[in-house]
C-alpha cells in the first residue's frame, strides 16, 4: 500500500531557498589580512543564482562536474550551494594532495571548470596543462591574473563573470539520489577514490548536524568552520548552517594559531569544528598569549582520536567543551558523536566523552572480526567497525573496491569496541594494530597514554619487526621545547597506565610526527623512516 | 550521475532497532488508577517482536491494516512500532468519532484486526457488528472479557496472545514510500478522509522533532504525551522519543486536570505536548490546587491557536515555557514552531512567540489569494496557507479530493500572513473569516482579544447574516463562575484592542463552547444553534 505522502525530493536547491529567505539575515564572515568581510545569506542566495547563470553560460549542463580549489570562504559557500542546485556536481579538490594525485582526481572526475582562490593559483598552475577536461578556470575576486592557462582553457574573474547575471534562477527538479557533490579520499595507498554524495544524503546529514544527538547546531549560532571545505565537506557545516540559520565564520587561508586566535577574538564564534592538531596548536599559542575564548561553548573534534588531555585542557583552562566525534569522507562524515547520557556526572561523564560516541538512528554500526563474523556490542569484543545508512557510501565513483564493503556495509578500517548502549571506542586502524605474540596492542591507546605526559607534545606508535614477538611497538615522541625528559622517564610514566607486556621498549625522539595531506599522523612515512634507518632508536 | 551513497530505506524497523538497543534503558511510563507502570525500551523491543509474531499468527500479512482503539499507553506504543515494522499498516482509530464515522473509517481502511483497551470495549462493542473486515479483536491486558463479538470475529487477550512468542523478529525490508500508518481526519463536513504516512515521512518527521528548530526533543527527556495517539500520531512524539532516547509518560485515560496534575507531580516530565484546552483546564485546577510544575520546561501547544494570555500564565505563574506550533493530520503534523530568533528579548520575543512560528527546511509554505495567486511573504498580505514537503500529504487514501490541492501543494484551509523571515500568523480558517462590508474580520483575532478579559474563560466568534454589512461577528462567551461582567463591559474592554468597525455588537453568554471530537471549537454547531434560535443574543 502506497502512502499518500507527497513525493517531493530532498534537494540542495530547497536548502538554498530556505536559508537565503527564512535565514536571509544570517551571514558568512570571511577572514582576510585586513579583517573580516561579511555577506548575508540573502546576498549569498542572489549570488548563487548569478553563479549558476554564469556557469550555464560556460557550458555547464546536466551533471557536469565543477571543481573548487579553494579555502573556506564566502565564494566556496556559493559554489557549495549553486553548483548542486543547478543540477551539476560540485567537486572539492583537496589543495593538499600531491600534484600527481590532484591531476588524477581532476581527470577522473572530468571537471569541466575549476574555481580557484587567487592565493592558490600558483599551486594549481603547474598541474593545469595535465587536466584534460578543464575548459575554464574562474579566479575568485576581481582579477584573473596569474593563471598559466594552457591552450583551449579560458580564464575568468569570478566577480566579473557573475556581475551582470540575473539574481534569480529557476532551479531544476532533481532526483534526490543523483550526485550533488563529490570528494576523493586521500588514501595513503593507491589512487584517491571518489565518494559522490547525493542531494538526499546531504539534506539528511544536514538535519543530523542540527539534531540534539548530533552537533545540535542551531539558529543564531556563529559556527567557525576550521575544517576545510575541501576535506569531507567541512563536516557538513556549510549546508547545515544554511539549513538552520547559523552564521558561518570562514578562516580562508588563516589557519595558523595566531591569525586563528585573532579571528576568534574578533568574531566570537560559539561553535567550531576542526581536527585535533589545529586545537593543539591553538592551545600552545594561547598558553603563550592568553586570551578569553570561553564564548566558544562547543568545539567538535574529529578526524583522528582526541587525546583526553586536550579535552581536559580546553574545558579546564579555556571553558570550552570538546565534543568528540568520528567520521570519514565515506560517511558524509558524521558518524558518531560523544554526547554522554543525560544524568551522568564527573568521571563517568568524562569516560563517555573520551569515546568516539554513539551513532544516530539513521546510521547502523556493527563490529566484525577477522573471520567476517559480527561480534557482540558488549564493550569488550573487538572488531572492525562497519556502518550502513542513507549518508554512508556504498561504492566509489567509477572504480570497483569490493574489499571495502561487506553485504552492503562499509568497512571502515577502524578497529574497536561498542558498549551495549552504543558507545564506540576505537582502538586502532586495522593496519596500525600491533600484533605482539598473538595479542593485539592498540597503537592509539599507547599514543594517548604517552601524550598524557606533560613534556610530550605529540606521540606516534608503529609496530616494528621483532624476532621473538613478531611485532613490538616503537614510540616516536615530540618533546616540548626545552624539556629534558628522557625516554626512560616516559616509559616509567607509562608503567601504571598500560599492561606490563604492552610497555614499549623501543623509543625515538623526533622533531615532528609526519602528517598526511589532511593533517593525520602519517604512519606509513614513519614506518619508511624507520626501515630506512632514519630514526635514532633507543632500546630500554 | 548517480551518487555512490547506500540505498538503505528509512524505516520504522530501523527506528525500533535503534531505540530498543541504544536507548534500551529509556522507559515508557503508563498512568493507572494505582499509579505508574513502567517498561524499558529494551522490553518494548522484545514485546514488539512478540506482537508481530502474534499478528502474523492471526493472518496479518502484507500491508494489511491493524486498527488501534486505545488511549496513550505502553501497548499503544508497541502497536505503533511493531505493526509498521512487520510491513503492515497501523490504523489509529479516533475514539471520539461519532459511531457512524468510526464504522466508516474501519470499513474504509479495511482493518483486519483491532487492538482495544478494556476501558474502551463498551465504546467499541455497538459498532463491531458493522465493521465488515474485522476478524480479530485483541483486548490489552490479561482478559478479553466483555467484547460482544459478532459471528466470525475472534477475541484475544493481548498478554496471552504474545506471551509465548519469540522475542526477536526478522523485520522485513520495506519500500520507504510504502504506508506505515494511517489516520483519518475528523472533518466537520463529509466523510472522514484517510492520510497514509510512509516509513520515510515518519522517519524524517521524527528527526525534525529532535531538531533544534523543531521541538528539540533530546536523549534523557521525560516527555508527557497528552495529545492522543489516535490524533495526528500524538504529534509524532512516540516515534521521536524512541529515536532519540527520551522516555515517554503516557496518561492513558486520565486526561482530566486532577489526575493529570497527580501524574505530573509523580513523574516530573520536562517536556509535554497537548492542545490549548488541556492546559486551560490544568491551569484552572492549579489555581485552586497550587502545585509546582516548573520542572516542565517546555510545553508544545498546537491544534488550535494558543491565546497569548495562556502563554503568559504558564510562563509567569508556573515557570513553564509554551512553544506554539502549527500542524494538522495532513502534515504529520509539524508544521511550524514558534521559536523566536536568537537574540530577541522582551516584547519582541513575545511577539514572535505569539505567531504560529516558522517552517523547517523540509517544509515549504506559501500564501495564495482568492484567485489562486501567490501573495508575498511581507507580513501583511493575507492568503490561504499552502504547504509542500516530504511529510505533507499529497492525496487522501482511496478518495479524490482535488479541491484540497493546488499544483502539488496541500491547501490547508488556514488563512494568515507570513513575514519575510518566515513567521506565520494565522488569522482564521477560510470558512470562519467574517466578510463585513467587503472587508475581512478574523474570528480568531476577536476571540483572542475577548479571552484577554479576566472574566472570560472561552470565546468563540462566528459570522451572522447582516442586512447592511452582509456579515457581522457574533461573540459567544463563557464567563468565569460567579462573574457579574456584562457584555457591555466586554465590548468596552475591546474598544482599544480592535479597529472600531470590527467592534462586535452581537453577544451571547453560553455555558460552554461546543467542541469537535478532537476538542476544537465546533463553529458549525454554534452556527446551527444560532440559526435554530437556541442562543440568546444581546445586541448592543
Amino acid at each position: 500500500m502506497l502512502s499518500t505522502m507527497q513525493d517531493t525530493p530532498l534537494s540542495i536547491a530547497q536548502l538554498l531557498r530556505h536559508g537565503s529567505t527564512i535565514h536571509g539575515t544570517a551571514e558568512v564572515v570571511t577572514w582576510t589580512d585586513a579583517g573580516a568581510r561579511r555577506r548575508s545569506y540573502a546576498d549569498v542566495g542572489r549570488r548563487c543564482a548569478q553563479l549558476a547563470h554564469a556557469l550555464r553560460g560556460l557550458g555547464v549542463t546536466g551533471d557536469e562536474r565543477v571543481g573548487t580549489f579553494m579555502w573556506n570562504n564566502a565564494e566556496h559557500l556559493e559554489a557549495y550551494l549553486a553548483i548542486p542546485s543547478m543540477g551539476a556536481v560540485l567537486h572539492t579538490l583537496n589543495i593538499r594532495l600531491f600534484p600527481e594525485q590532484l591531476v588524477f582526481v581532476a581527470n577522473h572526475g572530468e571537471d569541466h571548470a575549476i574555481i580557484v582562490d587567487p592565493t592558490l593559483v600558483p599551486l594549481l598552475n603547474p598541474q593545469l596543462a595535465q587536466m584534460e577536461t578543464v575548459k575554464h578556470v574562474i579566479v575568485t575576486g576581481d582579477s584573473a591574473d596569474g593563471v598559466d592557462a594552457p591552450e583551449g582553457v579560458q580564464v575568468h574573474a569570478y566577480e566579473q563573470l557573475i556581475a551582470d547575471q540575473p539574481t534569480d534562477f529557476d532551479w531544476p527538479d532533481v532526483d534526490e539520489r543523483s550526485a550533488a557533490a563529490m570528494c576523493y579520499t586521500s588514501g595513503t595507498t593507491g589512487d584517491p577514490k571518489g565518494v559522490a554524495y547525493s542531494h538526499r544524503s546531504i539534506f539528511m546529514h544536514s538535519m543530523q548536524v542540527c539534531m540534539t544527538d548530533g552537533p545540535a547546531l542551531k539558529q543564531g549560532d556563529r559556527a567557525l568552520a576550521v575544517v576545510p571545505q575541501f576535506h569531507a565537506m567541512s563536516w557538513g557545516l556549510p549546508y547545515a548552517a544554511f539549513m538552520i540559520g547559523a552564521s558561518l565564520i570562514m578562516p580562508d587561508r588563516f589557519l595558523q594559531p595566531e591569525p586563528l586566535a585573532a579571528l576568534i577574538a574578533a568574531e566570537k564564534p560559539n561553535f567550531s569544528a576542526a581536527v585535533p592538531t589545529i586545537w593543539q596548536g591553538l592551545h600552545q599559542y594561547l598558553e603563550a598569549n592568553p586570551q578569553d575564548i570561553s564564548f566558544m561553548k562547543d568545539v567538535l573534534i574529529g578526524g583522528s582520536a582526541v587525546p583526553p588531555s586536550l579535552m581536559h585542557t580546553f574545558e579546564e583552562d579555556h571553558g570550552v567543551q570538546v565534543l568528540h566525534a568520528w567520521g570519514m569522507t565515506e560517511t558524509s562524515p558524521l558518524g558518531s558523536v560523544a554526547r554522554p547520557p543525560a544524568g551522568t556526572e564527573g568521571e563517568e561523564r568524562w569516560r563517555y566523552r573520551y569515546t568516539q560516541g554513539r551513532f544516530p538512528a539513521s546510521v547502523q554500526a556493527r563490529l566484525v572480526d577477522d573471520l567476517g563474523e559480527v561480534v557482540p556490542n558488549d564493550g569488550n569484543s573487538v572488531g572492525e567497525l562497519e556502518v550502513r545508512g542513507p549518508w554512508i557510501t556504498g561504492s566509489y565513483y567509477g572504480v570497483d573496491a569490493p574489499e571495502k564493503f561487506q553485504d552492503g556495509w562499509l568497512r571502515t578500517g577502524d578497529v574497536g569496541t561498542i558498549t551495549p548502549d552504543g558507545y564506540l571506542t576505537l582502538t586502532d586502524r586495522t593496519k596500525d594494530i600491533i600484533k605482539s605474540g598473538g595479542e593485539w596492542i592498540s597503537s592509539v591507546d599507547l599514543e594517548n597514554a604517552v601524550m598524557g605526559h606533560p613534556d610530550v607534545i605529540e606521540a606516534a606508535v608503529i609496530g616494528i619487526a621483532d624476532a621473538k614477538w613478531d611485532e613490538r611497538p616503537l614510540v616516536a615522541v615530540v618533546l616540548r621545547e626545552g624539556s629534558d625528559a628522557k625516554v626512560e622517564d616516559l616509559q616509567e610514566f607509562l608503567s601504571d597506565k598500560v599492561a606490563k607486556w604492552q610497555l614499549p621498549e623501543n623509543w625515538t625522539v623526533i622533531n615532528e610526527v609526519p602528517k598526511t595531506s589532511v593533517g593525520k599522523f602519517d604512519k606509513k612515512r614513519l614506518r619508511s623512516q624507520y626501515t630506512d634507518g632514519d630514526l635514532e632508536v633507543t632500546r630500554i
Side-chain angles (χ1 to χ4, degrees), chain A:
Chain A
M1 174 175 161
L2 275 175
S3 84
T4 61
M5 294 293 110
Q6 295 181 9
D7 202 11
T8 54
L10 310 177
S11 74
I12 308 297
Q14 168 54 11
L15 210 153
L16 170 56
R17 257 192 301 264
H18 182 78
S20 59
T21 53
I22 304 286
H23 301 302
T25 58
E27 60 178 6
V28 52
V29 177
T30 306
W31 201 240
T32 74
D33 45 20
R37 61 187 174 93
R38 297 166 188 285
R39 188 169 297 156
S40 73
Y41 285 2
D43 279 341
V44 168
R46 286 183 281 268
R47 288 170 54 93
C48 282
Q50 293 181 304
L51 176 59
H53 282 292
L55 291 173
R56 277 276 187 274
L58 301 185
V60 175
T61 55
D63 59 8
E64 264 177 335
R65 268 70 70 205
V66 177
T68 55
F69 197 72
M70 301 169 79
W71 302 106
N72 287 18
N73 53 41
E75 290 70 30
H76 209 170
L77 175 64
E78 289 161 5
Y80 260 51
L81 293 162
I83 294 167
S85 292
M86 66 187 285
V89 180
L90 167 77
H91 178 189
T92 57
L93 295 163
N94 185 338
I95 65 166
R96 297 191 184 129
L97 287 181
F98 299 112
E100 62 275 17
Q101 289 184 318
L102 179 60
V103 169
F104 173 85
V105 302
N107 287 336
H108 192 263
E110 300 175 81
D111 296 350
H112 180 82
I114 292 180
I115 308 177
V116 58
D117 282 330
T119 54
L120 293 171
V121 166
L123 205 57
L124 183 64
N125 267 337
Q127 275 63 252
L128 265 180
Q130 300 167 67
M131 295 181 172
E132 296 158 9
T133 59
V134 174
K135 299 281 179 290
H136 300 275
V137 174
I138 302 160
V139 184
T140 56
D142 294 313
S143 158
D145 289 354
V147 177
D148 297 338
E151 181 147 345
V153 173
Q154 288 179 44
V155 178
H156 317 265
Y158 187 99
E159 294 301 328
Q160 286 165 28
L161 191 68
I162 73 167
D164 297 325
Q165 303 290 348
T167 55
D168 50 18
F169 192 97
D170 188 16
W171 306 111
D173 284 334
V174 294
D175 177 338
E176 69 179 35
R177 288 188 157 79
S178 65
M182 65 195 303
C183 184
Y184 282 72
T185 61
S186 47
T188 43
T189 54
D191 287 326
K193 285 192 281 295
V195 171
Y197 308 109
S198 63
H199 286 264
R200 168 189 172 92
S201 71
I202 292 175
F203 196 97
M204 291 196 65
H205 183 270
S206 302
M207 291 177 75
Q208 184 63 49
V209 172
C210 305
M211 279 179 71
T212 56
D213 62 348
L217 194 70
K218 62 185 186 303
Q219 187 272 328
D221 275 353
R222 297 179 62 74
L224 170 61
V226 184
V227 56
Q229 289 186 261
F230 56 74
H231 174 218
M233 309 303 283
S234 191
W235 299 353
L237 278 183
Y239 291 122
F242 222 76
M243 171 178 270
I244 208 73
S247 288
L248 280 164
I249 300 170
M250 298 299 209
D252 201 83
R253 67 185 188 277
F254 302 97
L255 298 172
Q256 308 73 24
E258 187 173 346
L260 210 51
L263 166 58
I264 290 169
E267 292 297 327
K268 298 207 169 22
N270 67 331
F271 181 95
S272 185
V275 293
T277 43
I278 292 278
W279 301 115
Q280 200 74 264
L282 183 67
H283 167 62
Q284 285 173 256
Y285 177 83
L286 292 178
E287 277 206 318
N289 307 273
Q291 169 184 321
D292 176 29
I293 61 164
S294 60
F295 42 78
M296 199 157 67
K297 295 291 173 224
D298 289 295
V299 160
L300 190 68
I301 309 195
S304 54
V306 181
S309 55
L310 186 64
M311 297 178 71
H312 281 277
T313 291
F314 264 84
E315 182 142 328
E316 288 149 21
D317 299 354
H318 302 299
V320 172
Q321 178 170 292
V322 167
L323 193 57
H324 196 189
W326 173 89
M328 51 202 295
T329 302
E330 287 86 341
T331 65
S332 288
L334 293 173
S336 57
V337 174
R339 290 196 176 277
T344 49
E345 283 176 17
E347 268 313 303
E348 188 192 8
R349 189 172 175 80
W350 275 109
R351 274 200 303 280
Y352 279 111
R353 290 181 53 198
Y354 297 153
T355 72
Q356 266 74 18
R358 49 183 172 185
F359 290 88
S362 297
V363 182
Q364 293 172 261
R366 67 180 188 186
L367 299 175
V368 175
D369 68 14
D370 282 355
L371 305 169
E373 298 292 325
V374 176
V375 306
N377 293 349
D378 56 14
N380 293 309
S381 302
V382 175
E384 179 180 358
L385 175 69
E386 297 189 350
V387 292
R388 207 167 92 111
W391 58 78
I392 310 294
T393 205
S395 62
Y396 290 94
Y397 177 65
V399 59
D400 273 341
E403 74 284 4
K404 295 284 191 177
F405 304 94
Q406 176 172 315
D407 306 335
W409 295 66
L410 172 71
R411 299 180 59 182
T412 66
D414 279 321
V415 170
T417 59
I418 298 180
T419 59
D421 56 350
Y423 284 87
L424 170 73
T425 297
L426 293 180
T427 46
D428 228 321
R429 294 287 296 169
T430 44
K431 63 181 190 302
D432 293 334
I433 280 271
I434 297 150
K435 290 170 183 167
S436 172
E439 296 285 343
W440 285 7
I441 299 177
S442 160
S443 64
V444 175
D445 282 353
L446 273 187
E447 287 160 5
N448 282 338
V450 178
M451 284 197 275
H453 190 283
D455 278 10
V456 173
I457 295 178
E458 285 181 336
V461 174
I462 56 171
I464 59 174
D466 183 280
K468 184 169 175 193
W469 303 104
D470 297 335
E471 270 191 351
R472 287 297 294 165
L474 164 65
V475 186
V477 288
V478 180
L479 294 176
R480 192 173 299 273
E481 218 179 291
S483 161
D484 55 1
K486 299 276 170 295
V487 293
E488 287 79 2
D489 305 333
L490 302 181
Q491 196 200 40
E492 169 64 26
F493 174 76
L494 290 190
S495 59
D496 61 349
K497 292 177 183 66
V498 304
K500 192 152 190 275
W501 64 271
Q502 296 192 347
L503 208 61
E505 58 278 9
N506 306 297
W507 295 77
T508 181
V509 177
I510 56 179
N511 292 325
E512 195 189 354
V513 175
K515 307 280 191 331
T516 66
S517 59
V518 296
K520 295 187 190 185
F521 287 179
D522 189 345
K523 296 196 181 177
K524 198 181 159 199
R525 226 153 95 212
L526 198 60
R527 282 189 201 97
S528 319
Q529 290 176 356
Y530 172 74
T531 49
D532 293 352
D534 294 345
L535 301 179
E536 196 175 314
V537 176
T538 306
R539 197 181 161 89
I540 306 174

